[in-house]
Amino acid sequence: MTEPSGTAASCPGLPVPAERASLPEKVSWFIEHRLHDALDLDAIAAFAGVSRYHVLRAFSAVAGRPLMRHVRARRLSQAARMLAAGAPDIISVALEAGYSSHEAFTRAFREQFGVTPDDVRKTGRVDDLELVEPFRMTISSDTRLAPPRMEEQGVLLLAGLGARYSYAGNEGIPAQWGRFAPHIGHVPGQVGDVSYGVCCNFDDAGHFDYVCAVEVKDFEDLPEEFTRLRVPAQRYGVFTHSGHVSALPATIAAIWNEGLSRAGLAAADAPSFERYGPQFDPMTGEGGVEIWVPVET
C-alpha cells in the first residue's frame, strides 16, 4: 500500500533563516551554527518552538534519517575534515565533536566511516568517505494542503501486523501491507471496512512501530502473530491526500513541515495513522487517504 517518517538573539551576528523556510530547514540552520556547542533534542525543539515529538517527526519525514543521528554524522564529518587537514592531535578534535575520550570518538568514527580517525589523519584524505553534508530540502515544498478538519475520536481497538522501522530504513512497509491484505475482512471481530496504517512508539533515535490494522470489537481469538493496539481517545487534525498513494510521503512531509503550524495546531505525543476508507483501491493505489495527526487540545 504505502509507507508512512529561533530568533536572531539565539545566535548573535549570524544570519537568520528566511521566514518561509520549512521547519527542517530552520532546524538544520540551528544545528550548523551550534554544531560545536552542547546540543540536544530539547534545545533543538525549543528553538523550533515545537515539541520533541514534532521536531523528530518533521525532520525525519523529510530527511529520511533520525534527527540526532544527523547531528552526530555532521559532527563526525566535520571532524574528518579537520583530521585530514592536519589537526595536531586526535583528542582535541574528539572534544570539539562532543566526545570525552579518544576511545569513544574512535568507536563512533569507525562506525560512521569504517576507518579510524588515525587512518584519516595519516592519509590526509576524505574523498573516499561518505561525509554527511548540511541538510537541504529535496522534497518539493509545492505540495498543496487543504486546511485540516478537526475530529474527536473515541478509543480505537486495532489489530494487525506490526514491525519496527527507522526513517532511514522503512522500505519494508509496502511488503508488510502485502502480508496483511489477505487478512482484511477475515479478522475475528473486525469492525467496519476501514484499514489503518498506524505510526507509534517513536524514540529519540528515529525508530517507530508501524502497524497495518483494522478495527476490532475486542482482542479475543486473534492470530498469535497479530499486534494488539489500544489507541486512546484523542483529538485529531485530519488531512487529506487525494493523489496516488505513491505521493503520500510528500503530503506527510508537508503536514509536519508546515501544515500543522499553519493551522495553529500543536502535535500531541500519541499515535498517528493513515486511514484507508472504502473509496481507496489497493489494486490501483487511487481513491485517497486521510492522515490523522493527534493534536493538543
Side-chain angles (χ1 to χ4, degrees), residues 1 20 25 41 48 74 91 119 128 151 173 179 190 192 214 221 258 278 291:
M1 270 206 178
R20 290 297 300 153
E25 288 172 317
L41 184 57
R74 283 291 301 127
I91 189 60
D119 292 335
D128 54 346
E151 292 280 357
I173 290 177
R179 294 192 301 274
Q190 179 173 336
V214 294
D221 302 320
E258 58 183 29
I291 300 95

Side-chain angles (χ1 to χ4, degrees), residues 51 53 234-235 256 266-271 293-297:
S51 68
Y53 173 76
Q234 177 68 50
R235 184 176 187 237
W256 289 99
D269 189 356
V293 180
V295 296
E296 296 178 358
T297 56

Side-chain angles (χ1 to χ4, degrees), residues 103-114:
E103 293 75 16
F105 176 61
T106 298
R107 185 166 54 250
F109 197 93
R110 187 196 296 273
E111 180 181 316
Q112 183 72 31
F113 301 120

Side-chain angles (χ1 to χ4, degrees), residues 168-295:
N170 56 14
E171 299 86 357
I173 290 177
Q176 184 180 338
W177 274 109
R179 294 192 301 274
F180 182 61
H183 294 282
I184 298 175
H186 306 287
V187 176
Q190 179 173 336
V191 177
D193 54 2
V194 172
S195 297
Y196 298 83
V198 186
C199 297
C200 56
N201 301 325
F202 284 80
D203 63 24
D204 289 356
H207 300 97
F208 64 97
D209 291 332
Y210 186 87
V211 185
C212 308
V214 294
E215 185 179 2
V216 293
K217 64 179 182 180
D218 56 45
F219 293 144
E220 296 182 9
D221 302 320
L222 292 171
E224 184 177 349
E225 70 271 19
F226 268 27
T227 295
R228 287 97 168 137
L229 185 63
R230 182 184 186 277
V231 181
Q234 177 68 50
R235 184 176 187 237
Y236 292 89
V238 181
F239 295 85
T240 299
H241 172 78
S242 57
H244 190 269
V245 72
S246 61
L248 182 58
T251 297
I252 292 176
I255 290 169
W256 289 99
N257 288 344
E258 58 183 29
L260 288 169
S261 58
R262 186 175 289 174
L265 300 173
D269 189 356
S272 61
F273 54 83
E274 304 146 14
R275 185 180 187 276
Y276 299 90
Q279 79 287 349
F280 180 76
D281 184 350
M283 300 302 294
T284 65
E286 302 284 359
V289 182
E290 290 184 342
I291 300 95
W292 288 51
V293 180
V295 296

Side-chain angles (χ1 to χ4, degrees), residues 10-119:
S10 300
C11 300
L14 295 175
V16 180
E19 185 66 25
R20 290 297 300 153
S22 69
L23 191 153
E25 288 172 317
K26 292 178 181 178
V27 165
S28 179
W29 174 88
F30 183 69
I31 290 169
E32 293 306 310
H33 290 88
R34 296 296 181 91
L35 201 57
H36 300 299
D37 298 337
L39 188 60
D40 59 19
L41 184 57
D42 288 329
I44 296 172
F47 167 80
V50 297
S51 68
R52 291 161 52 100
Y53 173 76
H54 189 154
V55 77
L56 280 171
R57 292 292 307 271
F59 187 88
S60 298
V62 176
R65 56 181 175 271
L67 173 56
M68 296 313 295
R69 186 181 300 174
H70 173 77
V71 172
R72 186 183 84 151
R74 283 291 301 127
R75 284 174 164 165
L76 290 172
S77 295
Q78 291 294 88
R81 287 191 170 97
M82 293 172 64
L83 291 166
D89 58 74
I90 292 176
I91 189 60
S92 62
V93 176
L95 292 172
E96 187 164 347
Y99 295 87
S100 58
S101 71
H102 187 292
E103 293 75 16
F105 176 61
T106 298
R107 185 166 54 250
F109 197 93
R110 187 196 296 273
E111 180 181 316
Q112 183 72 31
F113 301 120
V115 296
T116 68
D118 193 50
D119 292 335

